[in-house]
Amino acid sequence: MSKKGYLYRYLLLIKKLKMNPYSSFEELQRYIDQQCTYLLLQDDRLSMGFSKRTLQRDIREIRMLFGLDIAYSHAQRGYHICESSAENRNFQRMMEAFDVFNSLNLAQDLAPYLHLEQRSAQGTEHLYSLLHAIKNRRCITFDYRKFWDETLSQRHLEPYALKEFKSRWYLLGKDIRDGRIKRFGLDRLTRLKISENRFVYPEDYNVQQSQRYCFGIMGATGDQPQEVVLSFVPFQGNYIKTLPLHPSQEILVDTSDELRIKLTVYPTQDLLMELLSYGPRLKVLAPEELVAQVKQAHQEAFNRYGI
DNA sequence: GGTATAAGTAATGAGCTGGA
DNA sequence: TCCAGCTCATTACTTATACC
């Protein structure tokens, strides 16, 4: 089966268990078959059903690739997504992306009714190959052009995970040259090759844990995560309540005058840029260093107008 | 350049055992 | 009784090579 085929099956399994928790093996098998017919998938092997043994392997791979735990309940006589996983925001986001993908697949003749955002290539053509390399523990090589540097450099990497931030995809992995875990934007990556060399996935590496206090793509700065307190005007606060800035977001005050929230994150440049984008609709209350940085940036912007 | 074939690799299923 | 997890054999797919 193609790489696309089995990844598709993983996502269909997750979707079925999300809609109908405690589905039996036979129900899962029937659903995959129906969806393949409905979506007119060309992969014959995918539409031929699959065995229990394959389902067991899929559950293991889904746990590894997506961080979702699927278990069998003897009491309910069916498979289900464990509660802690079902609340995972990444899981929700992934399923939304899957739905969009399916809809666009079906809507190829409906171009007159779709108005898509015009933007440059995001490097998503590498997603399948990279997921395949991560799943099969294969080292990769590619050419990379840094955002601030036009020269190309060849990289040798142990790929560990993929991360999305602001509609862009990033690869997380260990640079074999210096042993450090780094991030690479997929849109700046070319000549990707999956090598024959295998690597051992580090037991102590957990992508959810490593990104827990990160805002954006930049990793831990070496500092401890800080408590960032932000005060939004009510209008902006409504957006922030429906689209939280970070999984750690807690509401401290919610009145007709302000929405005050607390985040626990590393104070990165990505965070600063995000806070500045809210302009006068946001006041940073803590920590002091971040307040000073935001003040300085606004002052410099003010000075540029020569007022 | 296109096609046929071989070899290597990945995905899968069958059958078995252990455990809840 | 049924599921999880293991080994091993089979099948499908991919890639390289030879030939026309």
Side-chain angles (χ1 to χ4, degrees):
Chain A
M1 186 188 294
S2 66
K3 285 173 269 185
K4 184 177 172 179
Y6 63 70
L7 287 170
Y8 220 93
R9 194 181 60 226
Y10 296 166
L11 291 168
L12 285 172
L13 284 171
I14 295 168
K15 189 168 185 179
K16 170 67 176 170
L17 292 176
K18 185 188 170 196
M19 290 187 303
N20 304 102
Y22 305 109
S23 297
S24 67
F25 169 71
E26 287 74 21
E27 287 170 330
L28 291 171
Q29 199 177 33
R30 212 175 305 129
Y31 178 75
I32 298 279
D33 201 43
Q34 285 170 351
Q35 287 299 302
C36 290
T37 307
Y38 174 63
L39 295 171
L40 303 174
L41 287 187
Q42 300 301 311
D43 197 322
D44 291 339
R45 291 293 306 274
L46 190 59
S47 59
M48 277 167 55
F50 60 102
S51 69
K52 276 190 180 177
R53 183 69 192 100
T54 300
L55 174 64
Q56 288 167 10
R57 288 190 183 106
D58 288 354
I59 289 172
R60 191 186 61 190
E61 295 300 328
I62 288 168
R63 185 178 301 132
M64 191 202 84
L65 280 174
F66 305 126
L68 285 180
D69 280 326
I70 294 172
Y72 183 83
S73 164
H74 287 275
Q76 304 283 345
R77 300 175 70 84
Y79 294 89
H80 68 285
I81 297 170
C82 299
E83 274 186 29
S84 56
S85 297
E87 291 165 3
N88 186 335
R89 287 185 193 285
N90 292 340
F91 161 73
Q92 304 289 352
R93 177 66 186 82
M94 184 177 68
M95 295 314 298
E96 286 170 10
F98 182 53
D99 287 336
V100 170
F101 174 74
N102 278 342
S103 301
L104 291 178
N105 252 357
L106 289 173
Q108 286 175 359
D109 296 332
L110 303 177
Y113 313 112
L114 290 171
H115 183 76
L116 301 177
E117 185 183 1
Q118 299 297 307
R119 61 187 188 196
S120 57
Q122 305 294 295
T124 50
E125 69 272 21
H126 301 306
L127 282 176
Y128 277 123
S129 298
L130 289 171
L131 276 173
H132 178 74
I134 294 168
K135 176 177 178 288
N136 291 290
R137 314 288 200 245
R138 295 293 191 113
C139 295
I140 57 172
T141 61
F142 56 86
D143 289 344
Y144 192 70
R145 189 190 305 276
K146 289 180 182 173
F147 192 68
W148 60 90
D149 187 351
E150 281 301 303
T151 57
L152 278 175
S153 60
Q154 192 176 48
R155 306 294 184 131
H156 302 270
L157 210 74
E158 292 180 1
Y160 292 165
L162 292 163
K163 177 176 180 174
E164 189 197 22
F165 180 66
K166 288 194 177 293
S167 302
R168 288 177 184 271
W169 282 91
Y170 298 85
L171 169 66
L172 310 183
K174 187 170 87 176
D175 191 326
I176 294 173
R177 196 171 45 189
D178 58 15
R180 291 169 55 199
I181 292 184
K182 298 178 181 175
R183 296 145 187 82
F184 300 90
L186 263 55
D187 57 328
R188 298 191 289 278
L189 183 155
T190 53
R191 284 166 38 94
L192 171 67
K193 286 183 187 165
I194 299 174
S195 131
E196 293 297 310
N197 300 333
R198 291 177 182 274
F199 66 89
V200 178
Y201 201 93
E203 288 181 9
D204 58 345
Y205 183 78
N206 178 313
V207 64
Q208 311 298 343
Q209 198 62 32
S210 73
Q211 298 296 307
R212 187 175 173 191
Y213 299 115
C214 292
F215 183 90
I217 193 58
M218 292 182 186
T221 55
D223 304 321
Q224 289 296 312
Q226 297 188 9
E227 291 191 350
V228 175
V229 182
L230 309 170
S231 172
F232 289 93
V233 298
F235 175 74
Q236 189 65 49
N238 289 333
Y239 284 99
I240 298 298
K241 278 189 280 188
T242 53
L243 283 172
L245 287 173
H246 190 264
S248 66
Q249 177 170 312
E250 285 178 46
I251 295 178
L252 303 178
V253 176
D254 187 6
T255 67
S256 57
D257 296 327
E258 69 164 334
L259 174 78
R260 189 178 299 183
I261 62 168
K262 183 179 81 174
L263 313 176
T264 306
V265 291
Y266 294 114
T268 60
Q269 189 68 18
D270 283 339
L271 177 66
L272 178 62
M273 297 304 289
E274 177 73 14
L275 299 183
L276 290 173
S277 73
Y278 291 100
R281 301 183 299 281
L282 165 69
K283 183 177 180 183
V284 180
L285 302 178
E288 284 301 324
E289 308 89 83
L290 189 59
V291 173
Q293 283 179 303
V294 172
K295 271 187 185 174
Q296 185 183 344
H298 282 315
Q299 186 64 53
E300 286 175 9
F302 184 78
N303 292 343
R304 285 176 70 87
Y305 288 95
I307 303 168

